[in-house]
Amino acid sequence: AQSVTQLGSHVSVSEGALVLLRCNYSSSVPPYLFWYVQYPNQGLQLLLKYTSAATLVKGINGFEAEFKKSETSFHLTKPSAHMSDAAEYFCAVKDQAGTALIFGKGTTLSVSS
Amino acid sequence: SAVISQKPSRDICQRGTSLTIQCQVDSQVTMMFWYRQQPGQSLTLIATANQGSEATYESGFVIDKFPISRPNLTFSTLTVSNMSPEDSSIYLCSPGLAGNGDTQYFGPGTRLTVL
């Protein structure tokens, strides 16, 4: 069964520092992989998605993620954190078109000045 | 992407009562997914609803507790029945959109508090 594991429930960085949020997936077939962000008291917003077109995926707000099949990973990065990046980040997977997304437990990103 | 609306946006209910949450999409979709997000937690899939057939429930969720209707391709409802404080969560609908990398977009959610 497909699943995702987000390593680190809470990540703290300083403003301007590199952001790295980890996601490993378990799927028997090439998956569809997504990152979503949820700001406090707001809905889910799609950051980026991998659908096999390119292994390095660029998303909104300067975020990007790299699909590494050998490591079954889809880590989210941003070169320079901004205070406005503080939010909850969810990695999600589906292994077939038309099925529902399965979410990881989420990572809370805190950014300090 | 689709425009997704949910009603109500939030509600405070008494235990033992039921609440029906509505989800409206601005385009026709075959499948509708319903999720629950408990306080401080991730999203958990409740059920998948296809138009014209009974919803398929995930382990731990049953139709008597969370009946779902899907009267047409743009609308769905989720009812939370005989509520208890443990049902306090955000409930979100998400249409299954074909194509576009099978991206799922989410409604704004219904924040439910059960006293």
Side-chain angles (χ1 to χ4, degrees):
Chain A
Q2 57 183 330
S3 65
V4 287
T5 302
Q6 292 185 240
L7 298 174
S9 60
H10 197 160
V11 171
S12 298
V13 300
S14 300
E15 194 171 21
L18 171 71
V19 175
L20 171 61
L21 304 183
R22 300 178 187 275
C23 173
N24 288 89
Y25 69 91
S26 171
S27 175
S28 59
V29 298
Y32 298 89
L33 290 160
F34 302 80
W35 276 99
Y36 289 84
V37 60
Q38 188 176 40
Y39 298 100
N41 297 313
Q42 293 190 29
L44 277 171
Q45 183 178 4
L46 177 69
L47 268 179
L48 50 80
K49 62 185 179 185
Y50 167 77
T51 56
S52 78
T55 57
L56 182 62
V57 181
K58 294 187 183 299
I60 62 172
N61 301 338
F63 284 93
E64 63 182 37
E66 186 172 9
F67 172 71
K68 292 186 177 180
K69 184 178 179 180
S70 61
E71 299 176 9
T72 61
S73 69
F74 190 57
H75 301 332
L76 182 71
T77 60
K78 181 174 181 177
S80 177
H82 193 272
M83 297 291 285
S84 60
D85 294 326
E88 189 79 14
Y89 291 80
F90 295 98
C91 182
V93 67
K94 63 170 73 179
D95 59 12
Q96 292 183 48
T99 59
L101 280 171
I102 303 301
F103 283 82
K105 292 187 180 298
T107 298
T108 303
L109 175 66
S110 300
V111 182
S112 58
S113 57
Chain B
S1 66
V3 176
I4 308 161
S5 60
Q6 283 187 235
K7 290 181 181 179
S9 58
R10 59 176 63 226
D11 208 341
I12 300 173
C13 301
Q14 298 297 319
R15 73 168 64 217
T17 63
S18 298
L19 176 72
T20 295
I21 300 167
Q22 299 178 7
C23 177
Q24 180 77 50
V25 186
D26 69 342
S27 58
Q28 294 185 336
V29 296
T30 304
M31 285 177 295
M32 190 74 78
F33 304 112
W34 283 96
Y35 289 82
R36 179 177 74 180
Q37 186 177 23
Q38 294 177 298
Q41 303 293 316
S42 184
L43 280 78
T44 300
L45 181 66
I46 298 172
T48 301
N50 288 326
Q51 197 270 334
S53 63
E54 290 227 350
T56 303
Y57 289 82
E58 298 299 304
S59 176
F61 297 95
V62 295
I63 188 171
D64 289 347
K65 176 68 175 178
F66 298 100
I68 290 172
S69 77
R70 190 79 209 278
N72 59 54
L73 292 175
T74 64
F75 187 78
S76 179
T77 67
L78 169 77
T79 299
V80 186
S81 303
N82 188 25
M83 288 184 285
S84 67
E86 293 70 36
D87 295 319
S88 297
S89 298
I90 299 172
Y91 292 86
L92 302 102
C93 63
S94 176
L97 299 174
N100 193 25
D102 221 57
T103 301
Q104 272 184 240
Y105 296 96
F106 288 81
T110 295
R111 186 180 294 271
L112 171 62
T113 301
V114 184
L115 303 177

